[in-house]
Amino acid sequence: MLDLAYEAPKPKVIAGAKHDWELVIGLEVHAQVASKAKLFSGASTEFGAEPNSNVAFLDAGMPGMLPVINEGCVALAVKTGLGLKAQINLNSAFDRKNYFYPDLPLGYQISQLYHPIVGEGEVLVDMGPGVARLVRIERIHLEQDAGKSIHDMDPTMSFVDLNRTGVALMEIVSRPDIRGPEEAAAYVGKLRQILRYLGTCDGNMQNGNLRADVNVSICRPGAYETYRETGDHSVLGTRCEIKNMNSMRFIQQAIEYEARRQIALIEDGGKVEQETRLYDPDKGETRSMRSKEEAHDYRYFPCPDLLPLEIDQAWVDGIAADLPELPDAKRARFVLDYGLTEYDASVLTAEAENAAYFEAVAESRDGKMAANWIINELFGRLKKEDHSITESPVSAAQLGQIVDLIASGDISGKIAKDVFEISYATGRDPAEIVATEGMKQVTDTGAIEAAVDEVIAANPAQVEKARANPKLAGWFVGQVMKATGGKANPKAVNELVAAKLGL
Ligand code: ADP
Ligand code: MG
């Protein structure tokens, strides 16, 4: 693994009326496991299915039904743990978290309170070239999702859709190491990127497949450092938890608002009460939902329907051996192997598909040139039509042809853009386009020479001027390029113009 050197960003400081304050943030991210079946039943996890069509008897809370652990979900949780460089617990266990909700027919959620499957890990959160925050992961546990109550379909009735009931979630709990709203959003972004690379969660935030509970507190400068030295939470401020956030923008706005609310409250002589709050994006504010519930409120106890979960090291090793190259390593390798800037490398590794496309183009070609074409031309064009790289009408092999045609001098960079446009619109091969449309650059010096002679003969006054002031030779180059329809090799034109003018 290649590591890039980095420096920690400065924590965000907010000036209150009386003091300066710093933020302390910890996230509990719920990531839906990319499994076709639920955690303890064989029902499908398909999104957008007809309401209540993906419900097994177990999910509906029918008496006598027993949960059966889905091994695939366990493997994906382990894979996620390995991707976050976390400890994998060979012995874990499931607990019942008891509460009533209309969309939770069992009357409890099967979760892992006491013995989670994954222990301590870490996420490196990039905040700019060479600047990153190492956020510690406390644990990852597996649990069931609840269903969905629908309140806005009828003025007098609510409906319940149990399709999501029992779907496997990984709850990824961070330590309170995040020091500002931008960092919180970047943390979610990085986590999402890693999960997508691993293929353990699709990261679709709009569908709620990745959502975060955001814990926010404020403290005076220096308190966080004391916490890091001593591990003593009590030196930090009391936190509020903002529930169920599924947009990076709203996460930032909610933290900003919540921090200012807490500062005003404390500076006014008040006290922050530990509670669960909701963010209202229309009003741009958080409001109290309920006072904080403690573990004992849920009457947690070991789930009697399930044996403790025992996995063996050899099985874990098998999953570890299969881990893909992850974003940090890939980015570092792109910088080293292809000579890319850190910025370009991070753009190209944002999604595994982008990175694969780049490598297919860059293989045995100039890496920087491949990167420029993908970032400046292809991405720009794809973005216009809201397409992802997998939908690109120009394949990696085709973009590679364009790079080759430029490198061999067959087309100029300018003509290459036209070729790219045609290929993008029609899917035709660039090599074929250049041949059929007669776009090949004229490198034949005889033909270029003739064009240069013609322009010089037709413009004696310009010739005089250019001989007195060689900077004006550029005008001749422009005329020759025009006369050749942009197909003349610019280097050859420059040389010939200079020679003919005797410069
Ligand atoms: P609980 O046991 O009440 O769920 P945890 O200690 O497990 O609390 O923490 C839950 C989440 O709250 C974690 O993501 C953690 O990082 C975060 N957290 C804990 N203390 C603070 C704090 N003072 N400020 C902000 N976040 C915090
Ligand atoms: Mg907790």
Side-chain angles (χ1 to χ4, degrees), residues 28 113 138-139 141 171 173 239 292:
E28 296 160 282
L113 177 67
E138 183 186 318
R139 58 187 280 156
H141 58 261
E171 178 167 337
V173 183
R239 70 182 191 268
K292 166 79 185 169

Side-chain angles (χ1 to χ4, degrees), residues 24-28 138 173-176 215-217 233 236-237 239 292:
V24 172
I25 301 157
L27 265 64
E28 296 160 282
E138 183 186 318
V173 183
S174 87
R175 299 264 183 209
N215 297 273
V216 182
S217 69
H233 277 94
L236 299 174
R239 70 182 191 268
K292 166 79 185 169

Side-chain angles (χ1 to χ4, degrees), residues 438-468:
M439 294 170 97
K440 212 164 161 172
Q441 179 163 262
V442 181
T443 38
D444 164 12
T445 36
I448 298 174
E449 201 175 344
V452 173
D453 285 341
E454 217 167 283
V455 174
I456 287 179
N459 298 282
Q462 284 293 113
V463 172
E464 282 312 306
K465 283 189 200 162
R467 284 196 172 129

Side-chain angles (χ1 to χ4, degrees), residues 238-386:
T238 303
R239 70 182 191 268
C240 285
E241 177 178 2
I242 312 161
K243 273 275 171 205
N244 244 333
M245 309 284 299
N246 67 346
S247 133
M248 312 263 201
R249 191 158 57 91
F250 293 161
I251 287 174
Q252 294 190 54
Q253 291 171 358
I255 293 171
E256 191 86 31
Y257 174 87
E258 183 56 22
R260 289 179 193 282
R261 184 189 73 86
Q262 293 179 13
I263 290 169
L265 193 65
I266 293 176
E267 291 197 339
D268 226 29
K271 223 176 111 219
V272 174
E273 297 294 341
Q274 194 176 334
E275 62 183 0
T276 302
R277 299 178 70 87
L278 273 187
Y279 180 64
D280 178 342
D282 295 329
K283 295 211 174 88
E285 60 186 36
T286 64
R287 54 171 184 268
S288 183
M289 186 176 153
R290 54 176 190 245
S291 66
K292 166 79 185 169
E293 62 297 317
E294 302 287 341
H296 62 250
D297 295 321
Y298 288 112
R299 303 294 188 272
Y300 273 100
F301 64 86
C303 184
D305 290 341
L306 287 157
L307 289 167
L309 185 58
E310 285 179 18
I311 54 182
D312 40 85
Q313 190 59 49
W315 187 68
V316 174
D317 292 344
I319 296 171
D322 225 26
L323 232 50
E325 182 182 37
L326 290 170
D328 291 337
K330 207 183 271 292
R331 190 183 56 185
R333 185 168 62 77
F334 280 14
V335 170
L336 276 176
D337 284 6
Y338 299 104
L340 304 187
T341 61
E342 263 218 54
Y343 176 80
D344 284 357
S346 64
V347 171
L348 291 169
T349 53
E351 300 278 352
E353 292 79 8
N354 293 351
Y357 188 103
F358 165 73
E359 290 210 88
V361 179
E363 201 194 347
S364 70
R365 295 193 179 97
D366 181 67
K368 279 189 193 172
M369 196 155 155
N372 285 341
W373 270 88
I374 294 172
I375 295 173
N376 301 330
E377 305 302 322
L378 182 64
F379 284 176
R381 199 66 171 70
L382 290 170
K383 204 170 167 192
K384 252 193 225 163
E385 276 148 51
D386 207 18

